[in-house]
């Protein structure tokens, strides 16, 4: 079922959903099920599975030269989605990127998803490859997520890349895109970021999931700005509980967002990461309760494969 239909069916109540990431290459799918099993009692209408593009690693050869190798450390997004739908009978939402994909790769990826009975996709640009500063599209790939959304919408109308194909079956994907309450790190301003978010919606996106935030005011202001800009689709808040002291520096740096001083001070006072995890849970429960009171359609948690803290939060909120 489409995310937008899940929202309609919920009839104004708030549902619980979460995101997982594929295991590192060589690990077993059991670790995925172990992370999902404890969360199923909260009846998620869908589970997102992230996509991880290739990385470059450099291996030193005997002659001292460096050999560049392309590796994907977390493959398996599509297989995990199929396994989730098969095991839990819940919609699985694969993330799909511009990065590393030509338009032809994108089309073939979407054909696979359609055959698997996947109804939703989350369309993203992806970040630059780790060793590069700026995002570079593939030759004949998409530069921004709005172009990718456009291609998926075309396929939903039965328009494939090969114009000579006839009697084509249209796909029927519900398309989600990313929004950034504290603006995307590369965007010159929040207004310009929202301008391009609106482009994604104009090209066919029917819901938005936000980047994590730790101050609900940022989310409420973002939603108000989106509505003022004419974006009417559902906006789903993404939440992540802090779990380690290191994240105090890592999260603002990696995601270009601010942590509230009260949260920082609570974490600083903690003696160990066990205590930090507890602070993160309590903070996220407060955030979640306020968002539910404001009537958000879904609370979407970034589980990172660890379910104990998400379970504790969901148990207090749902
Ligand atoms: P875009 O919407 O293309 O925006 C990128 C930047 O370009 C923004 O600054 C925007 O303002 C600007 N921009 C957009 N369109 C235009 C245009 N036409 N002209 C000029 N400027 C423009 N990454 C992964 O690798 N795998 C994942 O599974 C994944 N899942 C995510 C899920 C969520 C909910 C979120 C919030 C992020 C996720 N990411 C993931 C991270 C995401 O790929 C990065 O944040 C990436 O840098 C931007 O992706 P985007 O789709 O928002 O890009």
């Amino acid at each position: 079922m489409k995310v937008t239909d899940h929202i309609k069916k919920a009839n104004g109540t708030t549902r619980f959903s979460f995101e997982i990431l594929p295991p590192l290459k060589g690990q077993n799918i059991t670790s995925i099920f172990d992370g999902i099993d404890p969360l199923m009692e909260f009846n998620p209408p869908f589970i997102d599975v992230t996509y991880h593009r290739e990385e470059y690693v450099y291996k030193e050869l005997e002659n001292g030269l460096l050999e560049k190798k392309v590796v994907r450390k977390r493959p398996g997004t599509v297989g995990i989605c199929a396994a989730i739908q098969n095991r839990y009978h819940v919609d699985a939402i694969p993330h799909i990127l511009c990065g590393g994909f030509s338009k032809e790769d994108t089309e073939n990826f979407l054909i696979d998803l359609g055959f698997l009975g996947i109804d939703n996709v989350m369309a993203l640009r992806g970040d630059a490859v780790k060793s590069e500063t700026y995002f570079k599209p593939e030759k004949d790939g998409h530069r921004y997520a709005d172009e990718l959304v456009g291609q998926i919408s075309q396929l939903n109308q039965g328009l494939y890349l090969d114009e000579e194909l006839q009697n084509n079956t249209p796909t029927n994907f519900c398309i989600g895109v990313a929004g950034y309450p504290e603006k995307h790190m590369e965007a010159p301003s929040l207004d310009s970021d929202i301008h391009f978010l609106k482009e994604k919606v104009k090209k066919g996106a029917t819901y938005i999931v936000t980047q994590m935030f730790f101050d609900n005011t940022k989310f409420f202001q973002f939603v108000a700005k989106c509505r003022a800009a004419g974006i009417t689709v559902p906006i789903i808040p993404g939440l992540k509980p802090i779990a380690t002291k290191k994240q105090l520096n890592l999260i603002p740096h990696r995601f270009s967002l601010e942590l509230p001083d009260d949260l920082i001070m609570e974490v600083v006072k903690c003696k160990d990461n066990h205590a930090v995890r507890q602070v993160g849970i309590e903070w996220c429960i407060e955030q979640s309760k306020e968002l539910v009171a404001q009537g958000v359609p879904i609370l979407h948690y970034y589980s990172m494969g660890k379910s104990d803290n998400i379970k504790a939060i969901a148990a207090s909120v749902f």
Side-chain angles (χ1 to χ4, degrees):
M1 196 196 270
K2 294 183 174 191
V3 167
T4 44
D5 290 332
H6 282 296
I7 292 174
K8 274 185 214 138
K9 204 173 146 206
N11 206 10
T13 59
T14 304
R15 301 288 307 271
F16 163 82
S17 74
F18 60 97
E19 173 182 300
I20 58 166
L21 65 167
L24 285 166
K25 192 181 267 185
Q27 290 186 8
N28 200 292
I29 195 158
T30 322
S31 66
I32 293 291
F33 297 147
D34 289 346
I36 296 176
D37 286 345
L39 300 177
M40 290 313 291
E41 66 177 278
F42 305 106
N43 203 15
F46 59 84
I47 299 170
D48 275 60
V49 184
T50 55
Y51 191 94
H52 299 261
R53 64 174 302 182
E54 75 284 6
E55 291 174 32
Y56 302 143
V57 290
Y58 293 88
K59 196 175 152 205
E60 191 168 350
L61 301 174
E62 277 178 11
N63 61 9
L65 292 175
L66 293 176
E67 184 188 18
K68 180 177 169 182
K69 282 190 140 193
V70 180
V71 291
R72 276 191 63 211
K73 294 187 176 165
R74 292 183 187 273
T77 301
V78 176
I80 292 170
C81 285
I84 288 175
Q85 297 212 150
N86 187 36
R87 184 178 164 107
Y88 300 102
H89 307 290
V90 160
D91 283 301
I93 307 185
H95 292 191
I96 173 169
L97 306 182
C98 302
F101 281 74
S102 67
K103 289 178 193 155
E104 179 74 18
D105 296 334
T106 301
E107 185 170 278
N108 295 336
F109 189 86
L110 292 165
I111 289 170
D112 275 344
L113 301 182
F115 288 166
L116 283 170
I118 286 171
D119 295 331
N120 305 278
V121 285
M122 181 77 188
L124 302 141
R125 188 196 70 179
D127 289 320
V129 179
K130 272 192 185 134
S131 49
E132 295 176 348
T133 314
Y134 298 106
F135 175 82
K136 272 198 220 135
E138 284 304 290
K139 190 166 171 285
D140 192 31
H142 298 296
R143 180 170 292 277
Y144 295 109
D146 68 330
E147 299 168 8
L148 172 59
V149 172
Q151 186 181 359
I152 305 169
S153 294
Q154 294 272 77
L155 214 60
N156 278 348
Q157 294 166 45
L159 298 171
Y160 288 66
L161 293 172
D162 180 350
E163 288 165 6
E164 287 175 14
L165 286 183
Q166 287 184 350
N167 302 321
N168 305 326
T169 309
T171 53
N172 189 20
F173 293 111
C174 173
I175 309 167
V177 289
Y180 301 82
E182 296 177 62
K183 91 172 183 62
H184 181 255
M185 65 183 84
E186 293 162 28
S189 73
L190 184 56
D191 283 351
S192 99
D193 209 20
I194 289 175
H195 167 83
F196 290 119
L197 178 57
K198 191 173 174 188
E199 287 303 307
K200 295 194 269 194
V201 175
K202 274 196 209 155
K203 291 201 174 148
T206 50
Y207 72 98
I208 295 164
V209 181
T210 76
Q211 183 56 280
M212 65 185 79
F213 54 90
F214 296 86
D215 175 355
N216 285 351
T217 318
K218 301 257 167 67
F219 174 78
F220 298 135
Q221 286 170 349
F222 172 71
V223 174
K225 270 181 172 268
C226 287
R227 299 307 180 219
I231 297 172
T232 55
V233 300
I235 302 180
I236 299 173
L239 295 173
K240 176 180 160 56
I242 292 263
T244 63
K245 246 184 202 186
K246 215 168 136 191
Q247 287 174 341
L248 280 191
N249 302 105
L250 210 132
I251 288 177
H253 177 68
R254 168 76 183 80
F255 300 104
S256 183
L257 48 81
E258 276 183 25
L259 298 175
D261 283 330
D262 290 354
L263 174 60
I264 297 171
M265 286 309 143
E266 285 299 315
V267 172
V268 167
K269 277 193 261 163
C270 291
K271 289 211 172 72
D272 54 28
N273 278 340
H274 177 73
V276 175
R277 218 168 167 77
Q278 202 48 42
V279 166
I281 289 171
E282 280 157 26
W283 189 273
C284 197
I285 289 173
E286 289 313 306
Q287 272 195 281
S288 303
K289 285 185 172 167
E290 190 183 20
L291 290 162
V292 171
Q294 292 296 316
V296 297
I298 290 166
L299 286 176
H300 188 68
Y301 294 93
Y302 297 113
S303 82
M304 313 301 289
K306 304 245 170 64
S307 48
D308 62 319
N309 51 357
I310 306 296
K311 183 174 174 153
I313 295 159
S316 293
V317 178
F318 292 93

